[in-house]
Amino acid sequence: MEWEQLDLNPRIITAVKKANFRSAKEILCVSGPDLQRLTRLSKTDVQRLHYAVAATVRKSKPVTALQLFQGECPVLEAGHRLSFACPILDGLMRGGLPLRGITELAGESAAGKTQFCLQLCLSVQYPQENGGLNSGAVYICTEDSFPIKRLRQLITQQPRLRPDLPPALIRSRRFSDNIYIEHAADLEALQACVSQRVPVLLKRGLVRLLVVDSVAALFRSEFQADEAIERSRHLLAFSNRLHHLSHEYGAPVVCVNQVTDVVDGPNQGRCDYGLVGSKVLPALGIAWANQVMVRLMLRRLTGQVQSDNRSSAPRKLEVVFAPHLPRASCLCGVWEEGVRGIPDDHSDLQQGSS
Amino acid sequence: MHRTVPSLPLAPSVKVKLINAGFQVASDLTDMRPLQLCKEAGISQEEAVEVLQMLRDDGQPHQQRAATESLTALDLLHQEQAQGSIVTFCSALDDTLGGGVSVGKTTEICGAPGVGKTQLCMQLAVDVQIPVCFGGLGGKALYIDTEGSFLVQRVADMANAAVQHCTLLAEDTEQRQALEELTVEKILSNLFLVRCHDYVELLAEVYLLPDFLSEHPEVRLVVIDSIAFPFRHDFEDLSQRTRLLNGLAQQLIQLATQHSIAVVLTNQMTTRVSNGQSKLVPALGESWGHAATQRLILHWEGLRRLASLYKSPSQMEATIQYQITVQGFRDSPDEPRPVPDVSAVSSQSGNHSKRPRMEDLS
């Protein structure tokens, strides 16, 4: 830290250097009286010092919400979202995924979480006016190998999923080239991937979507039941890394999560987020939930849904919590071309218990 | 002048030397010349000049200050009543808080993810701007966002709903005039946002607050959402964390009283295992529990969202129900009256040392 660049009396700067302070962080983490003692400066001098150092740490001055609303601060509020490529799903999410923050998609196996993620990996590659971010995606697999055949199928069926887009636009996208697939077999590999390789891709602008499928797998398998604190620590470090990357590059982060069974009734020690009567809750507990900005749950329902003489098991996509969304849900089906929402007035649906 | 040397605003080493040389009271120093002081106390000439300069500047105003500094309790009561409070638009919660979130105090809002802490904060940031003729404070707000959950789309919804609400209430000409100026754009323009990405940036922001508040004297609310997020990882030394948090709490309460603002902090919940049972408790440790003047805990009970006033110097503990609608933070249609539910609150937070308060509903 170059102390000379601070707008302070040279006397204060000398005192700071003599007391061996090296960085702004060190100054800010010491209280007023302690600084007085260490630097032998007076109270007003210390106040001036704190103020000058704080001014260098602050990245940007306060802006008004009106400036955000009018799109004058793209760093804080992009003004657009990442589309799901389906108007009904986008409607549920008021436009799509927020560009900054962690979105979690939790659900049982075979609910369709990976399908959603694959669809997002394709949607992100379209230009901004078509709901994408004009960039690629990083897909980190921790459970199974990457479903490459399904991705190829989705790519060939894109015109069917996006009839609103000109075919030439779809043909011009080189989808497979822009999806970077990583496999992480253990926590160390996952941390290495997120600390080293992913930031490089983000910095170069090659990707603007990060998918972790799934976050639960490694954290649940590598820690015993009594190592909860250890697991919490690793989980927090990991999510913090994701959070910083997301905010720095304006890249949505989607984390797939597993669910745990709810065996007892309502439990005071466990938060169930108002999901009364649900037999499953998202895994990894409240430590992880505190890091998530948007929590979505996907449930597979019994019955069948029809579309163009094809049938699919219906799914319910529910918003559990989000700062800008009400608790709502919508039905969707998984087809050859991808996931599409089902309008409410669908009469073919025979719903069983969820 | 009877001011003692240790209480003077000087560097500690200078004070020590003066005391060791026998100077106990400020009046001992007034007749000294710099060179004399220098020799007797063993301080440098520069320091001696500074000491005498400070005493000369300090002389008159200090005596006047001493006379006006003591206030009677009645003065304080008038001051407190004049401060006002910020409504939450949930009348049950406002009643429990004694009118709303008090200005001049720090209020902490704890809760699990998704229960409504950020919603309440955004609501307060809108409500602080309600014009005085409608019963509000007509002030501005500063929102310090550490989690990135401030989405302006939602605030615009709430601002719109607040304007609609005031439009329905407008009766006399003064209110109608104020209403003409009260638009969604105006409300958004009076809400300042700062985003802090780690605890160092947050500490810096709080050091810069006095200046910001002096530049913007109409600010009546400062929200930190959340104070827990940047402090819950990255800390090997928990005692340093406690120290920093305590320092922050002290700075914030000082700002709240000096600048007449309401400070609202949000905190997360964590699981604590005791006697084989696990409970959800506010995060950041036991000592943080003493930091804020008032503590509100938001929690789920089945499908209902409840708010419990867990700690307050002036209000009774109570639990009320609320809901989050498209318009924002509102009363629940089910439970209109606040119920003083002392036993439910103390058992949920698991603090066995707290005696249930017996007070009559006056």
Side-chain angles (χ1 to χ4, degrees):
Chain A
M1 168 89 193
E2 291 298 326
W3 299 115
E4 273 80 13
Q5 75 195 33
L6 295 175
D7 190 15
L8 287 171
N9 192 320
R11 175 174 48 97
I12 304 179
I13 297 182
T14 338
V16 165
K17 283 194 194 162
K18 235 168 87 169
N20 256 328
F21 282 106
R22 294 250 166 116
S23 66
K25 178 172 164 176
E26 284 177 30
I27 298 268
L28 291 174
C29 287
V30 178
S31 71
D34 278 340
L35 256 190
Q36 275 184 279
R37 191 174 39 87
L38 291 167
T39 57
R40 311 204 184 161
L41 293 169
S42 68
K43 186 170 169 181
T44 23
D45 281 342
V46 160
Q47 276 174 354
R48 283 193 209 115
L49 175 60
H50 267 144
Y51 180 81
V53 172
T56 56
V57 169
R58 177 198 254 180
K59 289 208 172 128
S60 52
K61 298 190 84 155
V63 295
T64 64
L66 185 62
Q67 286 173 288
L68 290 182
F69 195 60
Q70 290 172 339
E72 287 171 26
C73 311
V75 175
L76 291 176
E77 175 79 43
H80 61 278
R81 307 251 156 91
L82 173 58
S83 163
F84 270 106
C86 164
I88 297 172
L89 295 175
D90 284 345
L92 178 72
M93 301 285 295
R94 283 182 93 175
L97 289 188
L99 296 195
R100 290 181 164 85
I102 299 177
T103 302
E104 180 198 69
L105 183 56
E108 292 163 308
S109 59
K113 311 185 288 287
T114 305
Q115 304 301 313
F116 266 94
C117 296
L118 293 175
Q119 188 151 316
L120 285 168
C121 289
L122 297 178
S123 167
V124 71
Q125 301 192 35
Y126 291 108
Q128 194 177 310
E129 55 266 20
N130 302 116
L133 298 174
N134 215 7
S135 191
V138 176
Y139 199 108
I140 305 178
C141 297
T142 63
E143 290 181 0
D144 312 315
S145 55
F146 185 78
I148 187 75
K149 268 186 16 200
R150 176 58 173 151
L151 179 68
R152 291 214 183 97
Q153 188 182 42
L154 288 174
I155 292 174
T156 43
Q157 296 286 322
Q158 274 291 289
R160 194 163 182 189
L161 180 70
R162 310 292 301 261
D164 52 312
L165 298 179
L169 177 65
I170 303 178
R171 270 197 306 272
S172 68
R173 302 285 120 180
R174 310 196 38 180
F175 290 111
S176 326
D177 288 353
N178 295 321
I179 302 181
Y180 297 82
I181 303 166
E182 298 269 341
H183 282 96
D186 54 39
L187 265 188
E188 236 180 87
L190 182 64
Q191 296 282 19
C193 177
V194 163
S195 325
Q196 286 147 30
R197 291 198 288 283
V198 171
V200 169
L201 291 169
L202 283 167
K203 202 181 285 195
R204 293 201 197 146
L206 295 170
V207 303
R208 271 190 80 183
L209 169 67
L210 175 53
V211 177
V212 183
D213 184 4
S214 68
V215 70
L218 294 178
F219 286 99
R220 283 173 108 182
S221 61
E222 288 201 21
F223 293 99
Q224 306 293 336
D226 54 353
E227 288 176 320
I229 297 179
E230 186 71 14
R231 184 179 91 170
S232 247
R233 217 161 44 84
H234 278 92
L235 200 46
L236 283 190
F238 175 67
S239 62
N240 191 46
R241 198 90 198 81
L242 291 179
H243 187 91
H244 272 116
L245 287 174
S246 177
H247 276 266
E248 194 175 340
Y249 297 102
V253 174
V254 177
C255 289
V256 172
N257 196 7
Q258 297 166 350
V259 290
T260 56
D261 292 309
V262 174
V263 273
D264 48 1
N267 178 355
Q268 261 190 15
R270 184 194 61 228
C271 179
D272 50 14
Y273 316 102
L275 291 167
V276 181
S278 173
K279 297 200 199 68
V280 293
L281 281 178
L284 300 177
I286 202 164
W288 168 250
N290 277 324
Q291 310 299 313
V292 166
M293 188 170 85
V294 177
R295 172 167 268 180
L296 305 170
M297 266 191 87
L298 195 56
R299 275 179 243 263
R300 192 187 176 113
L301 308 173
T302 55
Q304 293 276 315
V305 202
Q306 306 286 336
S307 164
D308 293 343
N309 298 321
R310 306 162 303 162
S311 61
S312 150
R315 273 88 167 166
K316 184 164 103 157
L317 178 67
E318 183 180 358
V319 175
V320 179
F321 61 74
H324 61 307
L325 301 174
R327 297 196 69 167
S329 61
C330 78
L331 291 174
C332 48
V334 179
W335 318 102
E336 215 182 348
E337 68 270 20
V339 183
R340 270 202 282 111
I342 297 160
D344 283 332
D345 52 357
H346 198 97
S347 50
D348 286 4
L349 177 62
Q350 295 135 24
Q351 219 190 84
S353 55
S354 49
Chain B
M1 222 192 316
H2 296 291
R3 194 155 174 203
T4 56
V5 166
S7 70
L8 294 173
L10 295 168
S13 55
V14 172
K15 278 193 257 186
V16 164
K17 288 192 184 137
L18 289 174
I19 294 172
N20 285 340
F23 297 101
Q24 297 292 338
V25 190
S27 48
D28 292 342
L29 290 163
T30 37
D31 294 331
M32 299 287 291
R33 322 243 40 230
L35 214 49
Q36 252 182 316
L37 189 57
C38 189
K39 282 212 195 104
E40 290 207 22
I43 53 180
S44 76
Q45 192 151 15
E46 212 181 71
E47 285 171 339
V49 167
E50 266 188 34
V51 169
L52 293 169
Q53 182 80 37
M54 186 228 55
L55 283 173
R56 236 172 292 139
D57 294 337
D58 227 37
Q60 262 305 344
H62 184 76
Q63 281 174 324
Q64 289 171 351
R65 245 185 291 140
T68 55
E69 240 168 68
S70 59
L71 289 171
T72 64
L74 187 62
D75 292 335
L76 284 177
L77 180 63
H78 286 322
Q79 259 183 20
E80 207 177 279
Q81 285 173 340
Q83 296 264 17
S85 40
I86 309 171
V87 293
T88 62
F89 272 174
C90 170
S91 58
L93 185 57
D94 289 337
D95 286 343
T96 312
L97 291 172
V101 170
S102 336
V103 165
K105 297 201 178 112
T106 49
T107 306
E108 185 187 349
I109 305 175
C110 314
V115 75
K117 310 183 289 292
T118 305
Q119 303 298 307
L120 180 52
C121 290
M122 291 199 234
Q123 187 70 64
L124 290 169
V126 167
D127 292 350
V128 72
Q129 303 187 40
I130 293 175
V132 178
C133 54
F134 281 101
L137 294 180
K140 300 191 183 177
L142 172 67
Y143 201 105
I144 302 179
D145 181 17
T146 61
E147 294 185 342
S149 51
F150 183 90
L151 292 176
V152 77
Q153 199 179 25
R154 181 63 175 143
V155 182
D157 290 345
M158 291 188 177
N160 200 15
V163 170
Q164 304 290 335
H165 188 91
C166 288
T167 317
L168 292 173
L169 291 179
E171 289 172 340
D172 54 40
T173 36
E174 195 192 347
Q175 288 182 334
R176 267 186 274 271
Q177 241 180 348
L179 206 49
E180 275 169 46
E181 285 186 1
L182 192 68
T183 60
V184 171
E185 283 78 26
K186 181 91 190 304
I187 295 181
L188 292 179
S189 70
N190 286 337
L191 216 189
F192 296 97
L193 173 75
V194 178
R195 198 161 276 157
C196 295
H197 297 97
D198 54 41
Y199 74 92
V200 179
E201 285 185 36
L202 180 59
L203 290 170
E205 209 52 57
V206 176
Y207 277 118
L208 294 168
L209 266 183
D211 228 62
F212 179 83
L213 293 172
S214 308
E215 272 173 47
H216 301 268
E218 325 83 24
V219 170
R220 289 269 90 76
L221 171 68
V222 172
V223 175
I224 302 183
D225 180 20
S226 65
I227 197 159
F229 191 79
F231 280 102
R232 290 194 72 203
H233 57 82
D234 245 10
F235 270 98
E236 273 91 36
D237 185 7
L238 279 184
S239 64
Q240 190 201 23
R241 183 179 91 168
T242 312
R243 221 175 31 242
L244 290 176
L245 283 171
N246 284 336
L248 264 183
Q250 279 184 13
Q251 281 177 288
L252 292 170
I253 187 74
Q254 212 173 27
L255 287 169
T257 42
Q258 271 175 4
H259 296 262
S260 270
I261 56 169
V263 176
V264 173
L265 314 166
T266 59
N267 193 5
Q268 296 171 341
M269 300 295 267
T270 184
T271 338
R272 182 170 70 192
V273 184
S274 59
N275 307 332
Q277 262 200 323
S278 64
K279 284 193 170 71
L280 280 183
V281 297
L284 296 180
E286 278 294 329
S287 58
W288 175 252
H290 306 285
T293 322
Q294 278 184 329
R295 186 178 245 187
L296 208 56
I297 299 188
L298 307 181
H299 52 104
W300 291 101
E301 199 181 81
L303 276 175
R304 310 193 308 157
R305 295 185 204 237
L306 302 176
S308 302
L309 181 63
Y310 182 61
K311 172 187 168 190
S312 170
S314 51
Q315 304 302 122
M316 190 165 55
E317 292 176 7
T319 301
I320 56 104
Q321 192 179 344
Y322 67 92
Q323 65 171 348
I324 315 274
T325 64
V326 158
Q327 288 104 8
F329 198 88
R330 296 290 189 274
D331 276 299
S332 164
D334 310 332
E335 206 181 287
R337 293 294 310 152
V339 172
D341 203 345
V342 175
S343 54
V345 170
S346 43
S347 67
Q348 257 159 8
S349 5
N351 192 340
H352 302 291
S353 61
K354 205 159 174 85
R355 281 192 334 269
R357 283 193 218 143
M358 300 302 174
E359 289 184 29
D360 46 348
L361 282 163
S362 48

